[in-house]
Amino acid sequence: MTRSRFDFRIKFDANREVFVLMVSPEVTSLDGRGVAPKAYEAHAICISPNLFVVRIPDNEIPSDFVAVGDNNLPRGVQLIELRFVGSKVCFTFQISDEALLRVTPTVYRAWMQSLLQAGVSLEAFARE
């Protein structure tokens, strides 16, 4: 028996001068052993609501990963759409401001909060 979940974190890419939302599909067995997930870059597509899309090659998603479930998303995150495009699986997430702040490193949290309050957070994230 395994447990699937998405892990989210934000990093700052100094070369591009943007925040990057990283998404990892994780699978953990009941005995606590997990698959070391690879993180994939999500792209901002909209603000108000905050929508991000991540495209993950289907052969890189753990075979026993379950994308839809009650407890596989952090509080404030909703899976809006799941599509198959060629050999990739596209996940679109709606993420609340509070959830974005929770996954933002402490050093950038005040900066992120000011961007969210000003309604310009989309400009601060990597986009396609």
Side-chain angles (χ1 to χ4, degrees):
M1 184 95 168
T2 60
R3 179 178 179 267
S4 301
R5 74 181 188 98
F6 286 97
D7 182 53
F8 296 83
R9 64 184 168 83
I10 290 178
K11 69 176 190 173
F12 185 74
D13 184 332
N15 293 329
R16 295 185 288 172
E17 297 181 349
V18 294
F19 287 104
V20 180
L21 178 66
M22 303 300 293
V23 180
S24 302
E26 295 182 353
V27 176
T28 307
S29 63
L30 292 182
D31 63 4
R33 290 185 307 209
V35 174
K38 179 178 176 182
Y40 300 89
E41 187 173 307
H43 296 98
I45 57 175
C46 179
I47 59 169
S48 194
N50 300 313
L51 296 179
F52 291 84
V53 65
V54 61
R55 291 171 180 81
I56 303 175
D58 59 4
N59 64 346
E60 294 183 21
I61 296 175
S63 60
D64 48 355
F65 184 78
V66 178
V68 179
D70 293 334
N71 298 315
N72 63 348
L73 292 170
R75 186 171 31 98
V77 178
Q78 291 180 303
L79 178 62
I80 300 298
E81 181 180 47
L82 178 129
R83 288 184 292 132
F84 293 89
V85 179
S87 63
K88 295 187 178 186
V89 182
C90 299
F91 300 95
T92 303
F93 297 99
Q94 181 175 330
I95 305 175
S96 69
D97 289 354
E98 294 78 19
L100 281 175
L101 288 173
R102 271 196 310 277
V103 299
T104 301
T106 307
V107 68
Y108 299 122
R109 205 164 285 150
W111 185 10
M112 177 63 69
Q113 186 166 14
S114 67
L115 293 170
L116 292 168
Q117 288 173 342
V120 295
S121 60
L122 182 64
E123 302 304 318
F125 278 98
R127 292 184 283 166
E128 295 183 297

